[in-house]
Amino acid sequence: MNQFIEWKDFEKVELRCGTIVEVALNEKALKPAYILKIYFGENIGYKISSAQIRQNYSQEDLINKKIIAVMNFPPKKVAGVKSEVLVLATVCENKGTLLIEPHSSVIPGSQVL
């Protein structure tokens, strides 16, 4: 299961904290998903992501929720949406997909090391 990577490869991954500011249903998704508008601070601004997290979160639950995202994957078209960042989550047996959440006082745009 463990496949080791070099530290220099991990350093290439840019992880940042953001705050979800808008949530809409992704009607074109085959699996239930939301379109998230996420704020990453004034230096980065807003990014869009499509996330399959509807099992555990309502739209209202997600507004102002802090998240962690991979910033430097190339944009990917997901069910008609240009997904610019990958929001990190865990897949838990019998609980579905759960967001990985930073501390509530984190500043949008903060880098995760």
Side-chain angles (χ1 to χ4, degrees):
M1 176 97 185
N2 287 340
Q3 182 177 352
F4 294 105
I5 64 170
E6 298 294 322
W7 182 257
K8 65 182 170 129
D9 293 323
F10 175 73
E11 288 178 324
K12 295 176 187 176
V13 180
E14 182 181 354
L15 299 170
R16 299 240 176 218
C17 297
T19 303
I20 298 171
V21 295
E22 290 180 21
V23 182
L25 295 177
N26 187 342
E27 301 287 354
K28 295 182 180 180
L30 296 176
K31 295 181 181 178
Y34 289 124
I35 301 167
L36 307 176
K37 183 175 182 181
I38 307 163
Y39 180 64
F40 290 98
E42 61 183 60
N43 289 336
I44 298 170
Y46 297 90
K47 299 287 183 181
I48 301 296
S49 185
S50 181
Q52 296 175 351
I53 54 174
R54 283 178 49 190
Q55 177 183 358
N56 289 311
Y57 302 96
S58 70
Q59 288 175 265
E60 296 78 23
D61 290 338
L62 292 169
I63 297 297
N64 294 317
K65 186 171 281 300
K66 307 283 188 176
I67 56 87
I68 298 172
V70 177
M71 304 297 291
N72 59 339
F73 283 143
K76 183 176 181 177
K77 198 78 151 183
V78 179
V81 174
K82 181 182 173 186
S83 192
E84 301 172 291
V85 298
L86 175 67
V87 176
L88 296 183
T90 61
V91 178
C92 299
E93 191 174 317
N94 299 324
K95 292 189 189 264
T97 304
L98 299 171
L99 293 170
I100 297 174
E101 300 178 49
H103 192 276
S104 61
S105 65
V106 74
I107 298 168
S110 297
Q111 189 169 8
V112 178
L113 303 174

